Amino acid sequence: MAKVKIAEEWLNSCSGCEIAILNIGEVLVDLLVNNLDFVHIPVIMDHKYYGQTGEEQKLDIPEAVVGIISGSVRNEEHKEIAEEMRKKCQLIIALGTCATNGGIPALINMYKDEDMLDFVYRQSPTTDPGPNPTSHIPPLLERCYALDEIIDVDIYLPGCPPHPDWIAAAVLALLDGKTEFAMPERSVCDMCPTKKEGKKGLEDIKRMLKTPDFNPDKPLDEMRCLLEQGFLCLGPVTKAGCGGKGKPPRCLSTRMPCRGCYGPIRKTSKPLIDYMGALASNGFDTSKMLDRRGYLGRFSGAHGVLKRLG
């Protein structure tokens, strides 16, 4: 049987999603031997956009059945690559929360580009002040976009990074002849085994660096819900799946609050509004929360969620 051709690209991202692909482990090795043929993956394979010696005038990516794209879209180069991938691939997978919802890079949508450049090249305490670069830098787009704001996307695999279980499940579904794959629309709270006491009236929000109340010798299901303990756990408004298929959430497993890295539970969710409701139901005074937009929209600032004010 002929192998299925796969092209992979990374745009405005950190390569954590590509490491997640490698973390599929032995299953990936079997797939590469018997089923898959990566025809383009710049992070590990030398394939030039304009020919191996730069002789071509037009960006070219090989045709493939499946195109995997990580990262958000922030500049003209990202946009051109995303559009070329859409032309050459029959199915597009948006891999990671930067691709599905903008991710951390979309925090820039709250600020002006001029302010960002001024901080990076002149105001940062670890940088020697200098002018903005003017050559060999792709022009910035007006904001940071999720992938589906630029091209059509067939399958969404959020996560920062996505769990290898879901990547493998999506690939295996495609190899089985399916053209659709979707993660369950459940929240982190749905998968969290911590104990909920339902008591309200908590007055203060605790800093993330403060240690929650728990006994390390006892299992997770004997620890009280971290939101009820006063930590800003984003489990109520975050898509489940970070721990893998059928496993408890990763951060909660290490006794840390959910930071929201899998993005909204569903595309139509309004996590900023929903979380205010979750805080109020636990007795929090939401006016005490600093940087509400930045904190609650930290991983999902595309799709107009985060905007410049004023």
Side-chain angles (χ1 to χ4, degrees):
M1 186 176 72
K3 292 183 177 181
V4 174
K5 293 182 178 180
I6 295 187
E8 201 274 350
E9 264 291 353
W10 52 348
L11 306 178
N12 194 24
S13 61
C14 67
S15 79
C17 293
E18 284 70 25
I19 292 172
I21 293 175
L22 297 179
N23 283 342
I24 294 174
E26 292 183 2
V27 173
L28 178 62
V29 174
D30 290 340
L31 290 172
L32 289 174
V33 171
N34 300 306
N35 305 100
L36 304 180
D37 179 16
F38 275 90
V39 295
H40 177 80
I41 177 168
V43 67
I44 60 173
M45 191 168 83
D46 183 21
H47 178 262
K48 304 292 192 296
Y49 294 137
Y50 295 91
Q52 289 305 98
T53 59
E55 71 277 12
E56 303 294 337
Q57 297 298 312
K58 186 176 180 302
L59 184 150
D60 183 57
I61 291 174
E63 291 187 353
V65 175
V66 180
I68 302 174
I69 303 178
S70 69
S72 49
V73 182
R74 183 64 175 109
N75 62 37
E76 294 288 354
E77 181 184 75
H78 299 150
K79 183 171 181 288
E80 184 179 3
I81 291 171
E83 291 173 342
E84 180 70 6
M85 285 283 286
R86 181 68 272 185
K87 288 179 187 174
K88 297 296 182 62
C89 302
Q90 297 174 28
L91 291 167
I92 289 290
I93 298 175
L95 183 66
T97 304
C98 291
T100 60
N101 295 90
I104 292 287
L107 282 170
I108 191 57
N109 291 345
M110 295 196 297
Y111 305 95
K112 296 178 181 177
D113 286 343
E114 294 78 10
D115 294 339
M116 179 267 293
L117 293 169
D118 187 48
F119 176 79
V120 171
Y121 292 106
R122 287 171 290 281
Q123 301 301 325
S124 171
T126 59
T127 301
D128 293 331
N132 295 340
T134 57
S135 60
H136 306 297
I137 303 294
L140 292 172
L141 300 176
E142 63 272 21
R143 64 180 175 87
C144 182
Y145 294 88
L147 189 60
D148 65 1
E149 295 181 283
I150 303 298
I151 63 172
D152 290 336
V153 168
D154 301 290
I155 293 172
Y156 296 80
L157 295 178
C160 186
H163 196 285
D165 282 3
W166 298 112
I167 305 174
V171 171
L172 291 171
L174 297 176
L175 290 175
D176 198 33
K178 299 175 182 173
T179 57
E180 297 180 353
F181 178 85
M183 292 172 58
E185 288 189 350
R186 305 185 68 184
S187 74
V188 166
C189 283
D190 290 333
M191 303 298 293
C192 179
T194 58
K195 185 171 53 180
K196 296 177 178 60
E197 298 181 0
K199 296 178 182 176
K200 300 180 180 179
L202 297 174
E203 296 181 354
D204 294 322
I205 295 172
K206 296 176 181 173
R207 295 190 66 194
M208 288 295 181
L209 297 178
K210 190 167 182 178
T211 304
D213 183 16
F214 71 95
N215 185 337
D217 295 325
K218 293 188 175 180
L220 190 59
D221 59 7
E222 294 192 33
M223 181 178 79
R224 189 183 182 191
C225 165
L226 293 183
L227 184 58
E228 290 188 354
Q229 289 194 40
F231 293 92
L232 288 178
C233 181
L234 296 186
V237 295
T238 301
K239 194 178 193 67
C242 58
K245 298 181 73 172
K247 299 171 187 171
R250 261 192 294 212
C251 285
L252 272 303
S253 296
T254 59
R255 321 283 176 153
M256 291 291 294
C258 169
R259 310 300 288 267
C261 77
Y262 266 57
I265 299 167
R266 59 186 64 85
K267 199 167 183 178
T268 56
S269 297
K270 305 291 183 187
L272 275 70
I273 297 173
D274 295 342
Y275 197 68
M276 287 297 103
L279 286 178
S281 68
N282 279 276
F284 288 117
D285 178 358
T286 56
S287 65
K288 293 181 179 179
M289 185 176 178
L290 303 176
D291 189 22
R292 277 176 288 186
R293 291 196 310 139
Y295 190 83
L296 300 179
R298 179 167 44 174
F299 289 95
S300 55
H303 301 114
V305 171
L306 294 180
K307 301 176 182 176
R308 288 191 289 273
L309 300 179

